[in-house]
Amino acid sequence: DSATASRYLVVDYEPIMPIAPGVVLIKAAGHTPGSQMVYVRLASGREFVLAGDVAWLTSGITTQKQKPEETTKSFGGEDRAAIGQQLRWLKELPPAITVIVAHDQPFIDGLVARGVLRQGFVLGNK
């Protein structure tokens, strides 16, 4: 509703928008209108792309396999051409950039176990 929508900051950008040191929004509509990915470069130099729902699993990027078409129709229809381009782009990123897919919990758990990520959200150097 309009009351809820008024609490959000809406920005329009093409195709990327730096928002803070080491943080860049990447326009990635395909899953749903307004979808985006987030590039993050930590002070340590480690780089990530938070890829959202472009695929269910990281293997969808490596194999270039999209979600089943029948499933994407139930979401209101993903733009399969846009998703295909995004999967190719993610696969071509340098190996030093860790791509994190939102629903790939085993992959995320592995990153936590290796100390690449940690549980929670911490601002600052703690």
Side-chain angles (χ1 to χ4, degrees):
D1 64 39
S2 60
T4 302
S6 69
R7 296 190 316 226
Y8 291 92
L9 173 64
V10 178
V11 294
D12 190 21
Y13 60 94
E14 287 289 340
I16 63 171
M17 184 172 120
I19 60 169
V23 181
V24 178
L25 298 180
I26 304 164
K27 194 171 242 183
H31 173 59
T32 54
S35 288
Q36 55 195 348
M37 296 183 214
V38 181
Y39 166 84
V40 178
R41 183 166 167 249
L42 302 178
S44 67
R46 182 159 244 153
E47 297 173 285
F48 301 91
V49 171
L50 308 176
D53 289 329
V54 70
W56 276 334
L57 301 172
T58 305
S59 62
I61 296 167
T62 57
T63 63
Q64 297 291 282
K65 186 171 181 177
Q66 295 192 33
K67 300 170 206 144
E69 193 165 353
E70 285 301 314
T71 303
T72 61
K73 284 181 185 175
S74 69
F75 293 136
E78 291 185 337
D79 181 338
R80 294 182 69 81
I83 293 286
Q85 291 173 339
Q86 292 160 18
L87 291 174
R88 281 188 295 283
W89 178 76
L90 289 165
K91 186 175 182 176
E92 293 170 359
L93 288 174
I97 300 175
T98 302
V99 178
I100 302 173
V101 178
H103 299 291
D104 195 343
Q105 197 61 52
F107 180 75
I108 293 168
D109 290 344
L111 294 174
V112 171
R114 292 191 338 254
V116 175
L117 295 178
R118 61 180 167 182
Q119 294 289 342
F121 183 75
V122 178
L123 291 174
N125 297 327
K126 293 186 180 185

